[in-house]
């Protein structure tokens, strides 16, 4: 009962961390911000650099000399302002948290180094439209070749993300769990077609509104503008002015992350539904692209791509909106905006905003003196103009939805295998042989299609079924007229057994998440981070999947254990020599458990529709056939016998079908 309870807890924890994916990866976020700063007009750009110089005072070693360091390469020794939007959201939960991480931690520079390498790796992978195979095409061979080439590009991208995600998780222990289960990185769906940008802004930021990307942007952008009014209107001591400038630029950087997110196609379309629908829709549109219109109106549309698929035109479109917001900020800080969108706000604090977007589900009302005025709302349509109009919510006209393999499932599994057996139960059998088998099982579990990315495997399941084995090709060393008449006896007879199987990830050693489950009651965050690490290959990520153009390979030793029970309600016998020379051969009735451990798994095929998945897998496995409870049934009165364990090694082909709830 305790073990079942712990398995349930493990499944619940893993389900909880399979939240919606984040948007642009770190280097994509930084490139958009870099482009926005570079394209500031000649009057505003020097003003922004001056604000950055003030913000750097006291932190010159950590913050780069220029707000947008275009020459930065691998292993950056400092962070520019353009890096802060990349740290926001994905590596921090508030503006205050982001600035603390940027200034006070060593791991953040490791994150920046990983991002720089990821940028180089992704630059080698072209973003293309997925080819379709038409069986009536006159160039069918060419279509197939293009599909294989596309799979090669996809595999290269998956592997680049696999490497960076592993390094990011090692550097930032909260990387995978920080997003939580809310929609902070997604656009709020429109409730109806006739809605203006101003109406949408108020809907996205109003008290009680579900947290969303535009709302988060507006919240922190307003915080930055309010601080900017103090810089323009108040006589401040140098240290106070520097702290205020630093907090203002931090608030704007945090806001920019979420503004950039709205240009990722999966975040325009994937904002409602359960976790499986949000993730599946998000992943589909990120790779396939999405045609959108902007709040500016008109008939012109554009196609957006998503996370890890950014193109130059995607970055340029997002940079336009970011630049508009920066222009508002610079003008307010310089006292140039006439009329002012945000009036002088003496109550604006000198610290960065501390709203935790990882844990907040709805927006609260701001404190008196910091609430958005009608004039403040008036500035949002200017920024929203070049952004995509989000899709409609549930109902007529909504975008097609897709699901990921996330959540509970039941399934049917059929497999066939052949394994080499080393000898037999009787010590006199020294020859090796082969045994073929087939298995039909019912399976139930929890699907997790990569907690961080596709290379992960947090799959948890249990199965029970019926297995049948052929007789072995090696024979017993027993001589009797009856056996000689039928050509001898197999070392292992044909038989049926009850098959069971269990699979789950582990942190360091198999089963450790179950043993460590009491830790969840003491420190839920620690245990959750352990579960996330386990689901993505373990502390030493040697069990992550490796994508190729021909399928996915994974080292799975310790993640899965199969056990087949022979002789439990079904006949299971063997023949051994007599106890003395010349004595009659003995018939032994016994029970046995065959344990098998998959070592390497290859998945050449997988398909998934709205609720069902199917896959073909090939596993190399090792096993041990352990005999027990032996009884000599013939001849009567013959002495007992000790049977030996048989060691095996084989290959199994599996057809795995699942139906998700």
């Amino acid at each position: 009962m305790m073990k079942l309870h712990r398995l349930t807890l493990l499944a619940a924890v893993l389900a909880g961390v399979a939240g919606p994916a984040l948007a642009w990866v770190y280097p994509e976020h930084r490139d958009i911000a870099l482009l926005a700063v570079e394209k500031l007009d000649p009057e505003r750009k020097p003003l922004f650099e001056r604000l950055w110089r003030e913000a750097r005072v006291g932190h010159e070693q950590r913050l780069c000399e220029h707000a947008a360091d275009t020459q930065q390469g691998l292993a950056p020794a400092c962070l520019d302002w353009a890096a802060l939007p990349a740290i926001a959201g994905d590596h921090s939960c508030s503006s205050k948290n982001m600035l603390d991480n940027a200034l006070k931690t060593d791991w953040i520079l490791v994150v920046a180094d990983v991002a720089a390498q990821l940028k180089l790796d992704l630059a080698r992978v072209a973003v293309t439209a997925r080819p379709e195979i038409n069986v009536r095409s006159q160039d069918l061979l060419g279509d197939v070749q293009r599909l294989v080439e596309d799979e090669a590009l996809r595999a290269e991208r998956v592997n680049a993300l696999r490497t960076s995600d592993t390094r990011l998780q090692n550097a930032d222990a909260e990387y995978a769990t920080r997003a939580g289960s809310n929609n902070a990185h997604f656009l709020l769906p429109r409730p109806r077609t006739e809605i203006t940008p101003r109406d949408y802004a108020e809907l996205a930021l109003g008290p009680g509104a579900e947290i969303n990307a535009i709302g988060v942007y507006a919240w922190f952008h307003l915080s930055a503008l309010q601080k900017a009014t103090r810089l323009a209107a108040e006589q401040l001591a140098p240290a106070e002015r520097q702290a205020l400038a630093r907090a203002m630029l931090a608030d704007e950087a945090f806001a920019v992350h979420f503004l950039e997110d709205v240009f990722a196609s999966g975040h325009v379309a994937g904002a409602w539904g359960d976790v499986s629908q949000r993730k599946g829709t998000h992943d589909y549109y990120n790779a396939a692209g999405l045609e959108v219109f902007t709040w500016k109106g008109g008939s012109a549309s554009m196609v957006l791509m998503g996370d890890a698929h950014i193109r130059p035109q995607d970055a340029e479109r997002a940079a336009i909106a970011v630049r508009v917001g920066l222009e508002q900020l610079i003008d307010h800080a310089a006292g140039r905006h006439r009329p002012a969108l945000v009036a002088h706000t003496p109550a604006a604090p000198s610290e960065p905003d501390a709203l935790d977007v990882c844990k907040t589900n709805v927006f609260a009302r701001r404190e008196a003196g910091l609430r958005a005025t009608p004039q403040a709302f008036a500035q949002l349509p200017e920024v929203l103009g070049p952004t995509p109009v989000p899709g409609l919510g549930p109902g007529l006209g909504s975008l097609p939805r897709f699901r990921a393999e996330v959540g509970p499932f039941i399934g049917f599994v059929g497999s066939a295998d052949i394994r080499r057996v080393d000898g037999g139960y009787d010590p006199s059998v020294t020859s090796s042989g082969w045994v073929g088998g087939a298995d039909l099982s019912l399976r139930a579990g929890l699907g997790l299609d990569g907690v961080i990315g596709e290379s992960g495997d947090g799959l948890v399941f249990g199965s029970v079924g019926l297995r049948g084995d052929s007789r072995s090709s090696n024979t017993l060393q027993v001589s009797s007229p009856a056996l000689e008449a039928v050509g001898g006896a197999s070392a292992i007879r044909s038989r049926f057994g009850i098959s069971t199987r269990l699979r789950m990830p582990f942190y360091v050693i198999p089963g450790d998440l179950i043993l460590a489950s009491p830790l969840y009651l003491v420190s839920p965050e620690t245990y959750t981070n352990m579960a996330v690490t386990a689901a993505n290959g373990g502390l030493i990520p040697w069990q992550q999947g490796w994508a190729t153009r021909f399928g996915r390979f994974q080292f799975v030793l310790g993640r899965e254990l199969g056990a087949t029970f022979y002789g439990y309600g079904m006949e299971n016998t063997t023949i051994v020599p007599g106890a003395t020379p010349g004595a009659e051969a003995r018939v032994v009735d016994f029970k046995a458990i065959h344990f098998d451990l998959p070592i390497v798994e290859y998945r050449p095929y997988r398909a998934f529709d709205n609720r069902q998945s199917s896959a073909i897998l090939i596993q190399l496995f090792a096993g041990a056939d352990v005999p027990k409870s032996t009884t000599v049934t013939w001849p009567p009165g013959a002495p007992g016998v000790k049977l030996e364990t048989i060691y095996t090694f084989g290959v199994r082909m599996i057809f795995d079908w699942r139906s998700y709830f």
Side-chain angles (χ1 to χ4, degrees):
M1 181 65 70
M2 179 59 72
K3 185 174 182 180
L4 179 60
H5 169 74
R6 291 186 178 184
L7 279 172
T8 304
L9 172 63
L10 173 59
V13 171
L14 288 172
V17 299
L22 304 177
W24 304 114
V25 294
Y26 186 121
E28 293 172 334
H29 272 293
R30 182 175 179 271
D31 283 350
I32 294 171
L34 199 70
L35 193 59
V37 174
E38 283 297 296
K39 290 196 172 184
L40 286 170
D41 62 67
E43 292 184 9
R44 291 187 176 96
K45 192 172 182 179
L47 293 174
F48 188 70
E49 286 290 342
R50 188 183 71 188
L51 291 169
W52 178 248
R53 285 196 298 272
E54 289 184 287
R56 289 182 67 233
V57 174
H59 302 280
E60 290 85 356
Q61 295 301 311
R62 178 55 59 89
L63 300 179
C64 300
E65 181 179 356
H66 298 291
D69 186 358
T70 58
Q71 303 303 312
Q72 192 173 93
L74 294 174
C78 61
L79 301 171
D80 58 4
W81 181 86
L84 298 183
I87 297 170
D90 297 356
H91 298 283
S92 57
C93 289
S94 69
S95 176
K96 184 179 187 307
N97 181 218
M98 178 201 70
L99 191 60
D100 287 344
N101 288 343
L103 298 180
K104 301 176 183 179
T105 68
D106 294 329
W107 57 262
I108 200 65
L109 291 179
V110 179
V111 167
D113 177 40
V114 174
Q117 182 61 57
L118 178 60
K119 180 177 180 178
L120 294 179
D121 293 340
L122 291 178
R124 294 192 289 264
V125 186
V127 177
T128 60
R130 184 173 177 82
E132 297 290 338
I133 294 181
N134 183 355
V135 295
R136 298 181 180 179
S137 172
Q138 296 181 350
D139 187 22
L140 180 59
L141 184 61
D143 288 347
V144 173
Q145 182 179 356
R146 284 186 287 273
L147 183 63
V148 172
E149 291 173 352
D150 182 75
E151 282 298 318
L153 291 174
R154 180 180 177 279
E156 191 173 350
R157 179 178 288 106
V158 167
N159 292 330
L161 291 170
R162 173 191 62 83
T163 300
S164 70
D165 284 339
T166 300
R167 294 184 63 196
L168 289 175
Q169 184 66 28
N170 289 338
D172 177 5
E174 298 179 13
Y175 172 57
T177 57
R178 191 174 278 112
S181 58
N182 62 31
N183 282 329
H185 296 262
F186 291 77
L187 278 165
L188 189 72
R190 285 177 297 148
R192 59 188 184 278
T193 55
E194 40 312 307
I195 186 171
T196 67
R198 170 95 177 246
D199 292 337
Y200 182 79
E202 294 183 0
L203 180 68
L205 187 58
E210 181 182 359
I211 194 166
N212 62 90
I214 288 296
V216 174
Y217 169 75
W219 181 285
F220 285 91
H221 183 55
L222 177 60
S223 294
L225 291 178
Q226 290 172 341
K227 291 176 173 64
T229 65
R230 289 190 58 199
L231 287 175
E234 299 177 15
Q235 295 295 321
L236 301 170
E240 187 177 3
R241 181 178 176 84
Q242 292 155 8
L244 187 61
R246 191 159 49 246
M248 177 196 70
L249 292 179
D251 285 348
E252 184 66 13
F254 199 83
V256 162
H257 175 98
F258 295 88
L259 182 61
E260 292 172 347
D261 279 356
V262 308
F263 286 88
S265 52
H267 292 250
V268 178
W272 54 269
D274 60 23
V275 170
S276 176
Q277 287 179 313
R278 294 204 309 274
K279 187 177 188 305
T281 303
H282 163 274
D283 292 351
Y284 174 82
Y285 286 109
N286 276 342
L290 178 66
E291 182 191 26
V292 299
F293 294 86
T294 69
W295 284 109
K296 286 181 178 179
S299 59
S301 66
M302 59 185 176
V303 173
L304 298 178
M305 297 300 292
D307 317 359
H309 293 79
I310 200 169
R311 303 166 300 169
Q313 57 265 45
D314 298 315
E316 290 173 2
R317 288 164 180 154
I320 291 173
V322 173
R323 191 189 72 234
V324 171
L326 283 177
E327 289 172 350
Q328 293 177 350
L329 183 74
I330 295 166
D331 289 348
H332 278 72
R336 299 176 56 193
H337 211 293
R338 297 289 185 273
L341 298 178
V342 176
H344 176 220
T345 312
S350 298
E351 292 290 322
D353 200 301
L355 176 69
D356 189 328
V357 301
C358 300
K359 297 180 180 179
T360 299
N361 291 320
V362 296
F363 288 108
R365 183 177 295 276
R366 283 181 179 266
E367 298 177 6
L370 297 177
R371 293 171 188 164
T373 63
Q375 292 80 10
F377 276 115
Q379 52 87 20
L380 282 175
E382 184 181 4
V383 179
L384 284 178
T387 66
V389 176
L392 292 170
L396 295 175
S398 61
L399 288 167
R401 314 294 293 165
F402 300 88
R403 291 178 63 96
E405 290 193 65
V406 174
F409 68 84
I410 58 172
F412 166 83
V413 179
S415 68
D417 63 66
I418 184 169
R419 64 181 188 265
R420 184 172 179 81
V421 295
D422 181 18
Y425 295 114
D426 176 32
S428 67
V429 180
T430 57
S431 61
S432 297
W434 297 90
V435 173
D439 187 292
L440 294 175
S441 298
L442 293 176
R443 180 174 290 179
L446 180 70
L448 293 171
D449 192 11
V451 175
I452 298 180
E454 290 187 53
S455 60
D457 174 18
L459 182 63
V460 177
F461 69 72
S463 66
V464 61
L466 181 66
R467 176 181 175 83
D469 284 345
S470 71
R471 65 183 185 179
S472 66
S473 61
N474 59 331
T475 58
L476 294 165
Q477 303 301 311
V478 176
S479 178
S480 73
L483 290 176
E484 290 176 1
V486 296
S490 298
I492 304 173
R493 297 185 60 188
S494 60
R495 55 187 176 169
F496 288 92
I498 300 171
S499 63
T500 61
R501 191 165 293 275
L502 178 67
R503 180 162 177 151
M504 68 179 67
F506 62 90
Y507 186 65
V508 178
I509 59 174
D512 55 8
L513 290 182
I514 295 178
L515 297 174
S517 58
L519 178 63
Y520 185 78
L521 302 176
V522 180
S523 178
E525 291 186 359
T526 300
Y527 185 76
T528 299
N529 286 327
M530 286 178 60
V532 169
T533 301
N536 286 281
L539 188 61
I540 304 174
W542 53 301
Q543 294 202 334
Q544 288 191 336
W546 187 270
T548 74
R549 69 180 67 192
F550 304 111
R552 181 180 187 268
F553 292 86
Q554 185 179 7
F555 190 68
V556 295
L557 183 62
R559 284 182 172 248
E560 186 174 322
L561 174 66
T564 302
F565 298 84
Y566 299 102
Y568 292 82
M570 303 178 189
E571 182 183 13
N572 187 47
T573 61
T574 190
I575 300 173
V576 301
T580 59
E584 189 173 356
R586 291 169 287 178
V587 178
V588 181
D589 187 10
F590 69 103
K591 294 179 173 63
I593 305 176
H594 181 268
F595 298 97
D596 79 76
L597 282 169
I599 302 171
V600 177
E601 187 173 86
Y602 167 53
R603 188 182 69 198
Y605 158 82
R606 183 181 70 164
F608 184 67
D609 64 12
N610 193 38
R611 289 188 178 273
Q612 300 180 48
S613 73
S614 61
I616 291 176
L617 303 124
I618 298 173
Q619 290 180 339
L620 294 179
F621 66 91
D625 200 326
V626 183
K628 57 193 305 183
S629 303
T630 60
T631 302
V632 176
T633 60
W634 183 264
V641 64
K642 179 177 174 58
L643 301 182
E644 290 191 341
T645 296
I646 302 173
Y647 296 97
T648 64
F649 183 81
V651 60
R652 174 186 299 112
M653 177 175 284
I654 306 165
F655 175 76
D656 181 2
W657 175 87
R658 306 177 199 168
S659 178
Y660 284 82
F661 298 109

